[in-house]
Every structure is written in structure tokens, then in C-alpha cells.
Amino acid sequence: MSLTAIRIAINEMDFIKARDDDETANLIWNDSAVQHEKIAELRNYQRINHFPGMGEICRKDCLARNMSKMIKCQPQEYSFIPKTWIFPAEYTQLQNYVKELRRKRKQKTFIVKPSNGAMGHGIWLIRNCEKLPAQEHFIVQEYLDKPFLMEGYKFDLRIYILVTSCDPLRIFLYNDGLVRMGTEKYHAPSEANLSQLYMHLTNYSVNKHNENFERDETVDKGSKRSISWFTQFLRCNDYDVAKFWGDISELVVKTLIVAEPHVLHAYRMCRPGQPPGSDSVCFEVLGFDIILDHKLKPWLLEINRAPSFATDQKIDYDVKKGALLNALKLLNIRASDKKRNLAQQKAEAQRRLYGHGSMKKLPAASSDWEKQRHTLERRREELKEQLAQVRKQFSREQHEKQHLGNYRRIYPPDDKLLLEKYESLLSAAFQTFLAGRAASLQKEMNNPLKRMKEEDILDLLEQCELDDEKLMGKSSRQRGPKSLSAMPECSQTPRRQRPDYLADFTSCSSVDNSCSSSDEEMGERRKTEGSQEKRGEKKVSYDLGESRMHWKPSVKPFKNNTAPSVSPTLSGPIRRSISCPRSIASLSSPSEVRALSSRPSPMVPMATPFIRPGSAMLRSHSLSRSGYAPRVPHSNSLGTIHSNIGDSLIHLRSKEQEADLVHQTLAALTAMRIRFPGKTEEEAEAVLDEILDNWKYHKPKVASYWLVKLDSTKQRKVLDIVRTNVRLALQRIWREPDVESLHLYRLFNRVFNRLLWSHGQGLWNCFSNTGSSWETIFSKSSEVASPQELQCCRRLVQLCRDCLLVVYKFVSESRGSLSGLSPEWDDTR
């Protein structure tokens, strides 16, 4: 029975069965797709095992249609699905393809599948496509006639994937699964054996009816085996196991990237008003069916949104029970969730009643001073909301790290370059599937706050306080970047006025109230939740089509005594949490860039090293940065947890060795040159000289291009040209693949962050004679920068300045206007 593995996992988790009419169950399990109305009605503490919109990759025709669109824009990345035609719409295209094959004297076999079929029903093979009915609804795929064979049999892999959230996307791969073999020896398809489905199909539901099906319980025998055994088989036969699993992981992530725009859009429609980054009410355990060709390349066959959890054999019991049990532990469903959610709803109602936390509308007749104060306050609220999300995300990651079991997270990945590639594909997917329909989602993806870490947000909050003191007429403690009004006067004014320097960030949604208690309340809450966990009851509901089955065992104490995690507070003093990183990660796609550099310019003053004043003098009374726990290695902007290996290697270096490596880095930065596409180094130097010699003419044009016509994403893209090459240089010099753990790279990231501050105002200030405001970030940081490290940072700023000038000149020459980054720049940079 299909519920056997689920029953076992539920019992081991100490859940109890709810009544049929009880709509308050913590967990709801359906074997069929869930209506959107059902998801909309769920309370925040409830979990249901399906996402809306996932049918876009789980139906065979929808998967083929969406993959076809992605193949058109990313052909190199989406080459893992056989050529597919959807009938009846693409009948003519298939016939033309067959005619082309016949002209080349080639013949191929095709496999026909129902659009929404399952369990091998209605599948057949054909070689003469002219016999296919033109008006039937099915899909036709090229048949992979050279599969990887095991003991002469064809087989496929059932991979179990857990998606815990779509906002943000989080994907986990179970390290075990099923190898499902055919029951007749494989031979290449011919007219004589096309009907022998036991040879060509690997579906268990088909082959179990063959008398040759072996139900051997031995790990290395039988028609159904485990993927853990198959991995050992590959290792013993000298196959590259790491590459095999890497290819499988990429296939899964890229496929779910295709689904993400549809799923996220549908989820937001079902849950309007739910803050981004809050706990997802949906999760999904998917079954990916993957076949390997003779070169061990994985090909995607189909995706099951309701994979069978029947336990006909011991291997089913072991694999499926483990996948479910580990998934439920990762979801972190607790008995106290219901009470906590009720308390949050009451607190939110009181806040709305008394108007706390809501921004008042500004009257139309307000003065400029009032408008600036209102903008500053709105900015501060956005930063606080984002800070709460970052801290809550860190808490969630800590739980995942401790309860992975036999799962491993494949998105977001630990590899930074791989993450950037996935983010680029995700951006392309949003442009492909939601162009013109979900502008808010695309705008949110490009929100600079979304990529920031706790340290950066705390820096911005402190800068808000500094700006507030200026507006209030108080003496400023630090000199931050000036607003656009401080731009040097120019002979030509840009046609469009740039927005106020404080109003550039996209507004964030309200944050979950679980992050709004004081530090003293956190301890009490942990005690209360711990006692609730011991005496509370979890309810679980199973909805299988027409019938709903419930059961309620006696209450037992939980085996897991881990105290529930509580998000850090945001009311009262804002403190640095243990997750506090010190850099902002790039979201742009990684492109290989030629060697960069620039030369020092008289426009940038070389400030002398300074002694950092005491942190107590620099901190605001409401921004206490003393951590409430020891600091741990920071995570990236999408939640990657770094291992401690890199940090331990760094600590092993002596001060002399680090000083020498910093010196080598400075030499490498000094040797870098900004390459102008299509020009030699000498010609590029001449271009920069021409711009600087005629700065009075170019200054307004550069200001208009950088501050007005480039949005924050394109500004980041310009600086990422420098960032990518600096990262590569650090990896080579320091021999550290994860440069984010380096103290010097964290300093660099703080500089990049400050240069992008206030819609690029930080970099523009570097073109004025008082443009050293970026150096103030080190005076209010707990990280001390040595004189040599400061020289590296100054050189980095010079590279960014000259990179902007080169991009500006390249765009103006290639397009005749300064409307944005030219696509040619991406290809030749």
C-alpha cells in the first residue's frame, strides 16, 4: 500500500492523526495535486506536500514546452532532454524532421507517451512516424538507443528530491534512490523488437508483471537495486563518481529553475501578503526519472510529483522510509508552531490597531526637509525588515545543517561560481516565462537588499542614522557619501533628474513577527517552547483523493529535545548576530574577463593611513554591534554555509606570510589593466587619457550614464568586471578556492558595497577632489585594515573608476547613445 512508508515515517516522528473534519493539522499529505484554494486557506504554521504550479514540469507536455523555451535561450545548459514534439501542435515539425533524416539516409526510433500518463501506461515505440495520428494528444521523443547497460539490461534511476521552499528556492537531493531494471536483455531497437516493452521500458509498474522479474533481497541482485549500490559499482569500475553526481545535481537544479518562475508566481498568488523569505506552507518530494547513455551522461525522462511510496520489497522500505523521514526532520514541524502563529497574529493585529510599524503617508504640501526625513525613515524600515529576514534565514540554515540526514543541499550550492551560473539561469527563466506579467517578481530579484548580508545591512542602518543626524542639524560623527547635489558643476545637465539618493531601494514586505521580541524574551520563549514540545501534540492529515485517513496514537515525549530556534530580535537595540558576514555577494553571471588594470589618476587622492578611533565613539546608541554569541563563518547571500576548513587554513598562516601575500596581491592589482574591447593596451590608455584631459566635457555625460541611465543591476554588472578578476587573482595568489573567507576579500567586498551605495553615488564621489568617503567604512568597523590592505583597496577603487570610464566610452562609441550596457560588452570584455 502506498501509505506504508509514510505511516512508518509519521510514527517515528511522533505525529498524531487528526480527525477528518479538523482543518488545523500541522501536516497535510495528498497523493494528488492540490487546488490553489486549499493552499490559500492554510494557516502559516501548516505544511502541505505540493506546490502550486509544479505541474509545469511534472506533466510531460508542459515539461517539453517549457524546456523548449529554455533551450532556445540557453542551448548549452539544457542539453539533457531528448528532442520532443507535442501533438497535435507540432505534428508538422516532426514530419519535416523525419523527412530531413530520410534525405540524409538516417533512421531513428521514437517513443510515444501520453501527455499526462504515468506508470508506463500508453507508451509505445515507432519508427515510421507517418503512421502517427495527427490529432491525438501525446508527446513524441527521440528514443535513446545507446543506453548504459548493467549486466546486459537497460535501467533508469529514481532520484528523490526535496523542495522545502520556493521563496527563496531551496533544493535537497537524497543520496540514495532506486535503480529500476528492465527484465529482458537489451538489443538496439528494430522492427522486430519494438513491441517488447519489457526490454525497452524500465518502469517498475510494467516489469513487475514479467515472469523474469527478480525480487532478490541481495543488494547486488534483483530487478530493483539501490543507487548507493550503483554508486559503489561505478567506483569499482573506475568511473568518475564525483562527475556523475555533479551532472545529476545540475540536471535537477536546472530543471527546477525552469519551474521556479511558475511556482513562485502561483505561490504568491495563493499567499498574498506573506512576507518574502517567511516559512513556506508548501514543500514537495519529487521523483526524478533519469536514464544514462553509454557515456554515462544523464538524460531526464520525466518528473513525478506523487512518487510511489509503496514498500513491496525491503529495498523500497529502506530507501523510501529514509527519504521521507529525513524530509520531515528537515521541515522542522513543531507542536508549538500553532501557538506561536496565534501569538504572532495577535501581535500583528495590535500593531495595525495602534499604527505601530506602519509608515504614514506624506502630505503633498510637505517641505523638502520633511520629504527627506520620510524617505530616510522608509529606508530604515526596509533595512530592518531585510535584517530580520537575513537573521531568520540564518536560523533556518542552522537547523538544516544539523538535520540533513542523508540529504544534501544542491541549491543554493556551496560553489560560488556555480551559484552565479544558476542565478544567471534563474534570471533568464524569469525573463522567458514571466516577461511583462510579473514585473514585481523580476524587480524583487534585482533588489540590492536581497543580496546583502547582515554586516552590510548594519552598515547601511548606521549610515541612515548619520544622515538623520545631518538632517536634524546635529554634529555628524562620520562623513558619508554626499548626495547628488554635491556633484561637481558641469556645463551640460542630464536631461532626466536622478531620483533622491535615499529612495533607490525597492520596498521590502513586512517581516515575520517572530523576529520582534527582545533578547530577554528570547530565553523565556525557548523555555516555553521547550515545554510545549514535550507536552504538545502534532497533528497530521492525509488526503488521498476522495478519502481522508487519520489516526491518533497516544501522546509521547519527543525524541528530539533540541530547543526550537528563535530569530534574533529587531525591537530595541539592533545587535550583530552570530551569522553576521562582512561582504555583499555578486548576483551577476560569472564571465571570463581579460586581465584588468588601471593606472593611478590625479583625480583620486591617495589618503594617508589613519589610526582607527575606538568603536565606542563611532557607534550610535541604538546600534549595538556586540554579538550575543561567538561569531561563526559567515554564509553567502542565499544561505550557503561555509565549512570551517578554509578558516582553519587561514589561521595557520603566520602574520609574515599573510603580509607577503597581501604584498603580492597589491603587486597583482597594480599590474592589472582595463582592456578596451577591440583595442590594444596602448590604445586603451590613450582613451583614458583623452577622457581625463577633457574631463570638463565628459563629466556630465559620465554622471548621466552612471547615476541616471544605469539601474542598480547594471551598475553592479560594471563593478563585477573588476570583482571577478580580483577574485581570480586572490584564488591564484592565496591558493584559497573560497576567497570569501579571506579577511582581504571581505575588505574588498565592503569597498564594492560602498561604491554602489546610494545608486552608485559612492563611486561617483571618487571622481571629486573630496572623494575618499569610502575609506570611512574602516573607521567604523571592527575589522582593522593594515596600511598595505588600504593600498590594495585604493587600487581597487582606481580599477573601478577606470572600468566605468572604459565602459562609458565603449557604449558611446558602439551605440551612439548612453542608454545602457551593450550586449557586445559581455562578449568582448
Side-chain angles (χ1 to χ4, degrees):
M1 182 178 177
S2 63
L3 266 184
T4 304
I6 301 174
R7 274 202 193 99
I8 296 166
I10 290 303
N11 289 338
E12 292 203 18
M13 289 293 294
D14 289 326
F15 283 33
I16 66 169
K17 179 70 173 60
R19 298 188 313 272
D20 288 357
D21 57 349
D22 190 349
E23 298 295 332
T24 64
N26 294 66
L27 173 64
I28 303 171
W29 190 281
N30 281 271
D31 267 0
S32 57
V34 182
Q35 296 295 323
H36 288 197
E37 293 78 11
K38 177 67 176 176
I39 297 174
E41 293 169 359
L42 292 177
R43 297 166 176 84
N44 289 338
Y45 68 89
Q46 294 181 293
R47 299 290 181 270
I48 196 165
N49 69 317
H50 290 296
F51 279 99
M54 195 63 80
E56 292 293 333
I57 60 171
C58 293
R59 276 185 59 107
K60 296 181 179 67
D61 52 350
C62 294
L63 174 65
R65 185 180 301 109
N66 291 320
M67 283 292 185
S68 176
K69 292 179 180 179
M70 284 301 289
I71 288 171
K72 288 179 181 178
C73 65
Q74 300 286 338
Q76 299 300 322
E77 300 293 342
Y78 285 86
S79 60
F80 52 80
I81 188 166
K83 287 183 180 179
T84 308
W85 295 266
I86 305 171
F87 273 45
E90 297 178 349
Y91 173 83
T92 305
Q93 288 93 314
L94 175 62
Q95 297 302 331
N96 293 337
Y97 179 73
V98 172
K99 289 178 183 177
E100 183 66 19
L101 289 176
R102 192 181 297 118
R103 189 180 66 80
K104 296 178 180 178
R105 297 183 178 180
K106 293 181 180 180
Q107 187 173 22
K108 290 191 176 184
T109 305
F110 299 87
I111 185 167
V112 183
K113 305 177 183 179
S115 295
N116 197 26
M119 302 185 349
H121 297 317
I123 299 179
W124 44 291
L125 274 64
I126 190 171
R127 305 195 86 184
N128 186 4
C129 291
E130 294 177 354
K131 297 181 179 179
L132 288 172
Q135 300 303 319
E136 294 292 330
H137 289 268
F138 49 73
I139 67 165
V140 181
Q141 280 186 329
E142 273 192 6
Y143 182 75
L144 298 175
D145 56 0
K146 294 181 180 179
F148 189 91
L149 300 180
M150 198 160 50
E151 301 173 9
Y153 294 95
K154 182 181 176 181
F155 67 94
D156 73 354
L157 307 176
R158 166 59 62 87
I159 307 288
Y160 292 100
I161 301 298
L162 171 65
V163 183
T164 59
S165 170
C166 68
D167 187 15
L169 182 62
R170 300 188 75 75
I171 309 170
F172 299 84
L173 183 147
Y174 192 63
N175 290 320
D176 205 353
L178 297 174
V179 180
R180 307 177 304 178
M181 304 174 66
T183 49
E184 290 184 10
K185 295 278 187 177
Y186 178 80
H187 298 283
S190 63
E191 293 292 346
N193 65 19
L194 287 182
S195 61
Q196 298 180 23
L197 297 184
Y198 294 138
M199 176 193 298
H200 297 293
L201 300 187
T202 55
N203 305 68
Y204 166 71
S205 55
V206 173
N207 283 280
K208 69 179 180 179
H209 299 295
N210 189 3
E211 59 183 11
N212 296 329
F213 186 86
E214 298 181 16
R215 297 181 182 272
D216 198 312
E217 299 298 339
T218 313
V219 293
D220 58 346
K221 294 181 181 179
S223 298
K224 189 187 288 187
R225 306 178 190 181
S226 69
I227 288 182
S228 57
W229 169 85
F230 180 68
T231 303
Q232 189 61 31
F233 167 82
L234 294 177
R235 189 174 288 111
C236 293
N237 288 275
D238 297 327
Y239 288 99
D240 191 341
V241 174
K243 183 180 184 303
F244 164 75
W245 277 113
D247 292 342
I248 294 288
S249 301
E250 283 208 24
L251 180 150
V252 170
V253 173
K254 289 175 182 177
T255 303
L256 286 169
I257 282 175
V258 172
E260 172 67 1
H262 306 284
V263 173
L264 181 58
H265 183 57
Y267 184 80
R268 292 278 183 88
M269 293 292 288
C270 292
R271 310 289 296 177
Q274 182 164 321
S278 57
D279 291 334
S280 172
V281 300
C282 298
F283 70 97
E284 193 129 21
V285 179
L286 299 168
F288 274 67
D289 290 345
I290 295 172
I291 193 170
L292 307 174
D293 65 16
H294 64 292
K295 296 181 180 179
L296 211 66
K297 175 186 175 180
W299 293 80
L300 177 64
L301 295 180
E302 64 181 13
I303 303 162
N304 296 274
R305 69 182 313 175
S308 170
F309 288 107
T311 53
D312 299 339
Q313 299 176 234
K314 182 179 182 300
I315 189 171
D316 293 313
Y317 176 89
D318 295 336
V319 172
K320 296 176 181 179
K321 171 201 162 187
L324 283 171
L325 191 60
N326 284 265
L328 292 176
K329 289 179 180 178
L330 265 174
L331 292 175
N332 194 24
I333 300 174
R334 297 166 293 183
S336 58
D337 289 343
K338 183 178 179 181
K339 283 190 176 181
R340 187 185 305 107
N341 179 252
L342 228 76
Q344 290 171 3
Q345 287 180 345
K346 288 181 180 179
E348 180 64 26
Q350 287 183 342
R351 282 225 300 266
R352 286 198 301 266
L353 180 64
Y354 296 110
H356 294 161
S358 60
M359 293 292 297
K360 296 181 180 179
K361 289 186 178 180
L362 202 64
S366 302
S367 64
D368 291 341
W369 183 87
E370 289 174 329
K371 290 178 181 178
Q372 290 181 6
R373 280 300 309 276
H374 183 267
T375 302
L376 195 60
E377 190 61 32
R378 185 179 62 187
R379 176 73 164 279
R380 195 190 338 253
E381 291 302 316
E382 292 173 5
L383 290 171
K384 287 181 179 179
E385 291 171 0
Q386 187 65 23
L387 181 61
Q389 291 182 25
V390 168
R391 289 175 170 176
K392 188 171 184 179
Q393 180 68 20
F394 177 79
S395 176
R396 186 181 299 134
E397 289 164 1
Q398 288 298 95
H399 173 84
E400 291 174 355
K401 189 177 180 181
Q402 296 168 6
H403 298 85
L404 279 174
N406 205 20
Y407 278 98
R408 61 184 174 91
R409 194 184 66 204
I410 58 176
Y411 187 88
D414 293 328
D415 187 327
K416 303 301 183 300
L417 295 178
L418 186 59
L419 174 63
E420 290 177 352
K421 182 175 81 169
Y422 286 159
E423 292 293 344
S424 175
L425 293 176
L426 193 58
S427 178
F430 271 88
Q431 292 290 337
T432 301
F433 297 111
L434 295 182
R437 285 198 299 127
S440 61
L441 292 179
Q442 298 182 45
K443 187 176 182 181
E444 184 182 320
M445 283 188 63
N446 296 327
N447 182 8
L449 286 178
K450 198 173 177 112
R451 296 183 288 272
M452 286 190 176
K453 301 177 184 177
E454 184 176 340
E455 172 70 13
D456 304 308
I457 297 174
L458 288 170
D459 284 344
L460 297 182
L461 278 167
E462 185 162 2
Q463 185 63 41
C464 282
E465 293 205 353
L466 293 173
D467 294 337
D468 189 41
E469 288 181 359
K470 291 179 183 178
L471 286 175
M472 297 300 292
K474 300 178 183 178
S475 57
S476 178
R477 292 173 283 106
Q478 291 293 334
R479 188 180 71 185
K482 297 182 179 180
S483 62
L484 183 60
S485 59
M487 185 184 78
E489 294 182 2
C490 51
S491 58
Q492 179 180 347
T493 305
R495 289 179 297 172
R496 182 159 58 94
Q497 182 64 32
R498 188 184 161 278
D500 188 279
Y501 83 105
L502 289 172
D504 186 57
F505 283 91
T506 306
S507 178
C508 300
S509 302
S510 60
V511 72
D512 192 302
N513 295 331
S514 63
C515 298
S516 61
S517 61
S518 66
D519 283 344
E520 294 77 52
E521 289 173 330
M522 287 169 61
E524 291 298 322
R525 186 181 297 178
R526 287 192 177 96
K527 294 178 184 177
T528 304
E529 289 180 353
S531 61
Q532 289 171 349
E533 291 285 348
K534 290 181 180 179
R535 68 174 183 268
E537 295 179 347
K538 299 182 186 179
K539 298 180 181 179
V540 55
S541 163
Y542 300 91
D543 189 357
L544 303 178
E546 298 297 327
S547 63
R548 175 174 289 184
M549 300 165 49
H550 307 258
W551 50 126
K552 188 169 186 176
S554 59
V555 180
K556 312 181 212 177
F558 286 108
K559 296 174 184 175
N560 183 7
N561 295 324
T562 306
S565 59
V566 180
S567 299
T569 176
L570 273 191
S571 64
I574 299 177
R575 304 177 184 276
R576 184 186 304 283
S577 74
I578 60 175
S579 67
C580 187
R582 295 186 172 274
S583 61
I584 174 170
S586 165
L587 188 66
S588 301
S589 60
S591 301
E592 300 217 356
V593 191
R594 292 186 174 93
L596 293 172
S597 176
S598 92
R599 45 191 177 62
S601 166
M603 303 298 296
V604 181
M606 301 294 286
T608 57
F610 56 87
I611 300 175
R612 186 173 64 87
S615 59
M617 299 170 59
L618 300 177
R619 300 294 177 216
S620 165
H621 64 280
S622 63
L623 281 173
S624 172
R625 295 204 179 200
S626 57
Y628 54 79
R631 190 170 293 174
V632 298
H634 65 272
S635 61
N636 71 13
S637 60
L638 292 177
T640 303
I641 301 295
H642 296 303
S643 67
N644 293 328
I645 299 175
D647 289 345
S648 62
L649 291 176
I650 294 174
H651 294 323
L652 290 175
R653 297 192 185 103
S654 64
K655 291 184 178 180
E656 292 77 9
Q657 289 174 324
E658 288 201 5
D660 181 61
L661 290 172
V662 172
H663 180 74
Q664 293 181 38
T665 304
L666 178 59
L669 293 176
T670 305
M672 285 184 178
R673 292 289 181 272
I674 299 292
R675 292 293 300 274
F676 195 108
K679 297 183 184 293
T680 64
E681 286 191 16
E682 292 75 14
E683 291 172 334
E685 291 286 322
V687 167
L688 289 173
D689 287 337
E690 188 274 331
I691 294 175
L692 295 176
D693 291 342
N694 298 279
W695 182 240
K696 188 174 181 180
Y697 168 78
H698 288 288
K699 181 165 53 180
K701 296 180 179 295
V702 176
S704 176
Y705 176 64
W706 176 249
L707 296 172
V708 178
K709 296 186 177 179
L710 288 188
D711 58 22
S712 58
T713 303
K714 291 180 179 178
Q715 286 180 342
R716 183 176 297 277
K717 192 174 181 181
V718 171
L719 295 195
D720 278 347
I721 297 172
V722 178
R723 187 199 299 266
T724 303
N725 282 266
V726 170
R727 183 201 295 266
L728 295 174
L730 289 175
Q731 289 176 339
R732 174 176 53 82
I733 295 170
W734 292 72
R735 297 182 180 178
E736 185 71 36
D738 184 14
V739 295
E740 296 248 357
S741 57
L742 296 177
H743 171 73
L744 183 59
Y745 189 74
R746 292 201 298 267
L747 297 180
F748 286 173
N749 262 337
R750 291 172 69 85
V751 173
F752 281 122
N753 184 28
R754 182 44 60 99
L755 296 182
L756 291 169
W757 163 258
S758 187
H759 197 83
Q761 187 68 49
L763 179 58
W764 178 250
N765 286 344
C766 297
F767 287 92
S768 66
N769 292 329
T770 59
S772 61
S773 61
W774 63 268
E775 294 188 8
T776 61
I777 62 176
F778 300 118
S779 66
K780 56 189 180 71
S781 170
S782 58
E783 288 187 310
V784 180
S786 67
Q788 250 190 343
E789 288 172 335
L790 276 175
Q791 291 181 26
C792 291
C793 293
R794 294 187 189 110
R795 180 58 180 160
L796 191 73
V797 173
Q798 293 168 8
L799 287 171
C800 293
R801 289 175 60 259
D802 285 357
C803 185
L804 167 60
L805 296 180
V806 170
V807 173
Y808 149 78
K809 190 66 175 177
F810 174 80
V811 172
S812 62
E813 289 183 359
S814 60
R815 301 185 64 173
S817 67
L818 302 180
S819 57
L821 283 172
S822 168
E824 299 173 15
W825 177 257
D826 286 334
D827 298 334
T828 58
R829 62 187 177 187

